[in-house]
Amino acid sequence: MNLLNLEHISKSYNSRMLLDDVTLGIHDTDKIGVIGVNGTGKSTLLSITAGVVEPDAGEVIMGNKVRIAYLPQNPEFDPAHSVLENVARRISGQEAHWDTEGEAKAMLIRFGITDPSVSPEVLSGGQRKRAALATVLLTPCEIMVLDEPTNHLDSEMIEYLESFLTAFRGAILMVTHDRYFLDRITNRIVEIDRGKLYGYEADYSGYLELKQERLDYAKAAERKAAALYKQDLAWIMRGARARSTKQKAHIRRFEALRDREKIVEDREVLLESMPSRLGGKTIEVEAISKKYGDNTLFRDFTYTFGKTDRVGFIGRNGCGKSTLLNTILGELKPDEGTVEIGQTVKIGYFRQENEEIAETGRVIDCVRDAAEYIRTADGLVSASSMCERFLFDSEMQYTPVERLSGGEKRRLYLLRILMKNPNVLVLDEPTNDLDIATLRVLEDYLDHFAGIVIVVSHDRYFLDRVVTRIFAFQENGVLFRSEGNYSDYLIHAEEAGLEDSKPGTGTELTGAKRKSGAESGKLADAAAEKLSGAEAYRAQKEAGKAAKKKFTFAEQRDYENLPGEIDLLEKEIAAYEHEMEECATDFVKLAELSEKKDSAEALLEEKMERYFELESMAESFGQ
């Protein structure tokens, strides 16, 4: 049964066309996921559907008895009433019944609001989002409209939400970056691309295949149109005269081909930086503990980060993950234990909340404040070029930051972090408010990042894709160590009998019986090309049994001498760059210096590769 139609909807903000003559029908069995790059109009589409925003053109046609429950990106509450009163009133009207309040209280506690009697003003942004989600789930409706429902949820909450929405007998229209969540809930995908809406009758895995087919067909059609246009252009240039109906038709065809809308290739975030070198000492954590009052967040945690570590920290909301990060990075002092950070460590910290960015400043100025240039595998890349790679085209670069969407600001914040060329990347909930396209390329970038990656995340796909070791917070403050990615952790946690590894609903299978990233089929194609974290670990372990146990004399000499040689080469290259700036008009001298600089950089790359190889060997020897 048809519940709601969007008919020829158009909407623009600040001269940007977000939705251009969009039409969408929602049926009672539809579970629709909305996909698109940040700033393309996903949230706008949802707010128009929910009746919160009026379109510039077109109309929304809805059945008489159709009710909508809407979860916005940034929900608001009445500060004159408690959180519980806000939720109960929205569920049942102005006068909430006692049983409604009881149901609301239970749902709020499930989503981490342990004291629903407090004022909404004391809640964090994440807590307000979870309280609003609890409200939507309890509101009787035929259509749920959900804007980023998995943001600020831990794994247990996400699994509960999956079960709830799977059992929901109504339609769902939602925006989410969680690809496992999309794949398990949706049966339709709609993609917003340059103001247009493209529909796919499939879950997320099927969407990936169908979109590629659409693009391949469009590109083939464009090639044919371009070839025909070239023929018609040659005919026109020969001086054809429009003396017959046939010739007039030929000219009209030429003009239509000339004025056709060209196929524009998808822009993606292209990242391939060259992090600054890590010395022999990285980050050494020795027996640290931290508690607030009687609540022990973590205790006796010891770990030394290897130079290519990919470490994930997971646990329930409020267990102390961000506190542990801040303690490891020296921003908080531990109650017990020590943290030592090597002199060559250069940290890039992508926090849950964006750092202060001048709202009135322009995008390009914001990036240049971090760095004018970044060194990549292709040489020096300017701030403007990096903006292009981050989907900020030449026009958007001169747009005030205040005009950006929340997701675009998050992407800008990530760009600023990477422009500083860190060798240790710390990512605290990086998937919040980033679109899927950006996440995919960030994941590819991390594959080639020659440094340490430390991640706190509830995004199971991201953890499966990125990390090779996980530390899971337990109730007693001890961190359980698991080799491999998130799917491997589920198996190891069940084998160890950890209660925290089980979802809170009791309705899903746990541990090895649960559908893992690899078992979800086509969705994990990108990750399936590599060994899983556990497989890589086991292979490395087996190989290590037959490996030698110490350096040869020549290897030991190289291992000791290379850091100094690398330092000298870096200084030599910097000197060449300084000379090149001073003789920018002397092209002969410039060419000579450029050749010397290229040779030095090639030698530097060779020595760094050798050093990383020896460093890996040293770690396997236990040195």
Side-chain angles (χ1 to χ4, degrees), residues 110-111 150 153-166 178 181 184-185 458 460 486 489-490 500-511 514-515:
R110 178 180 287 278
F111 282 104
T150 63
L153 301 188
D154 60 31
S155 298
E156 182 178 319
M157 295 174 187
I158 291 173
E159 288 167 345
Y160 172 77
L161 182 59
E162 281 182 358
S163 298
F164 189 100
L165 296 182
T166 299
D178 190 318
F181 192 79
R184 293 169 185 176
I185 300 299
H458 296 124
R460 299 156 296 176
Y486 182 78
Y489 157 75
L490 292 177
D500 286 355
S501 69
K502 298 177 182 179
T505 63
T507 59
E508 286 195 353
L509 298 175
T510 60
R514 258 183 277 181
K515 183 188 286 186

Side-chain angles (χ1 to χ4, degrees), residues 279-281 307 551-566 610-619 621 623:
K281 187 173 184 178
K307 292 188 176 181
F551 284 136
T552 65
F553 176 82
E555 287 170 341
Q556 183 67 42
R557 181 189 59 201
D558 286 348
Y559 185 58
E560 293 172 354
N561 293 339
L562 277 171
E565 294 173 9
I566 289 170
R610 176 60 173 162
Y611 183 77
F612 287 139
E613 177 187 354
L614 293 171
E615 183 69 16
S616 178
M617 292 169 63
E619 289 178 2
F621 300 157
Q623 294 188 9

